[in-house]
Amino acid sequence: MEFNFATAGRIVFGAGRFKELPGLVAGFGPRVMLVTGSHAADLPGLEALGSDRVRVLSHGEPTIPQVEDAVATAREFGPDVIVAVGGGSAIDTAKSVGILARNEGSVLDHIEVVGRGVPLESRSIPVVACPTTAGAGAEVTANSPIISPEHGIKASLRSPAMIPDIALIDPELTIDTPPSVTAASGFDALTQCLEPYVSVKANVLTDQLAAEGMRRAASGLRRAWLDGTDVEARTDMSLCSLFGGISLANAKLGAAHGLAAPLGGMTGGAHGDICAAVLAAATRVNVESMIRRDFDNPALRKYDRAARILTGRHDARAADGVEWIADIVSDLQVPGLEALGLQRSQIDEAADAALRASSMKGNPIVLTHDEVVEIIDSSM
């Protein structure tokens, strides 16, 4: 048995612990670059960060031009630490800025798929990440997805040095998240537990975290959507997000995320909404493909175990898990791909792009073009 495992240098978790942020940041030095989402910009305590501070606002999922502007600001300002407070987009922006500011070149020199893919040197400005949504797990991951408007696709910067130095997770920061965002981010978190659990790169450590993350989603997702002030449900989902982020960083993802990158670029739909739209079909097609041509694949039995975790039924099989996912996606009113803007004429193009996506490398079985088309068509 061999595996590697990496995560944030320090994880600080618990309701009410956001108040510890100034003390955590002070150890890095006085010059602070603050990256916030619009809803996090006025949180109390941010004014106490550093004696010399510059702020960058993150609007929506990061794009190459936005990241380039923020990198220019960082190179000019020279921060001792970058503090990200917001959703996954703000944290991904901060991680991108941290590593690019300490490397030569531009985003397109280093980004996957659409760029030159030059490896990043393992050096970054320290990053402290404080998520205000429970979904991306970006506070503990080693990559940052970035949209290239020119190419109409989302691709990643990737380096072990991009894992934040400190992840400060306070579930109370997620209480004001509206139901639609709670659903989208929550399905992202769930997907990031299920896919690493069945991944070809799964190991005994990620299995424990991913399984517990799924259990937390089964307990908390619907309740957090129904009542955003339910701190217990919010805590469940913050843990699901955290465990999913750690799991994907160490065990990779699968077909749903392989599709999410090109579909996000093609439609502009929220990442979590796309994951939710395709997750049930991706799970079903994976299971059916393994039954047809790879019946001894250990992931087939793991899908059965995942179904038992999600449904709470000791006799559940993979098909029951697929049904549970489809039902909760419907109940939480997440739209299908057509409503998100995908045209049927784009299905073949999306399937081709998904098969080239780095996330597909973790899928438990190599899918054919027709099987990926079936996932997309079933998710419209």
Side-chain angles (χ1 to χ4, degrees), residues 324-348:
W324 184 91
I325 294 167
D327 286 346
I328 194 171
V329 166
S330 176
D331 292 346
L332 272 56
Q333 302 171 15
V334 178
L337 293 179
E338 193 166 18
L340 292 172
L342 187 70
Q343 306 296 315
R344 290 197 172 273
S345 60
Q346 296 176 295
I347 290 178
D348 274 327

Side-chain angles (χ1 to χ4, degrees), residues 300-312:
L300 202 51
R301 264 57 68 187
K302 292 178 84 171
Y303 272 122
D304 288 337
R305 292 198 289 274
R308 292 193 283 273
I309 293 169
L310 294 173
T311 65

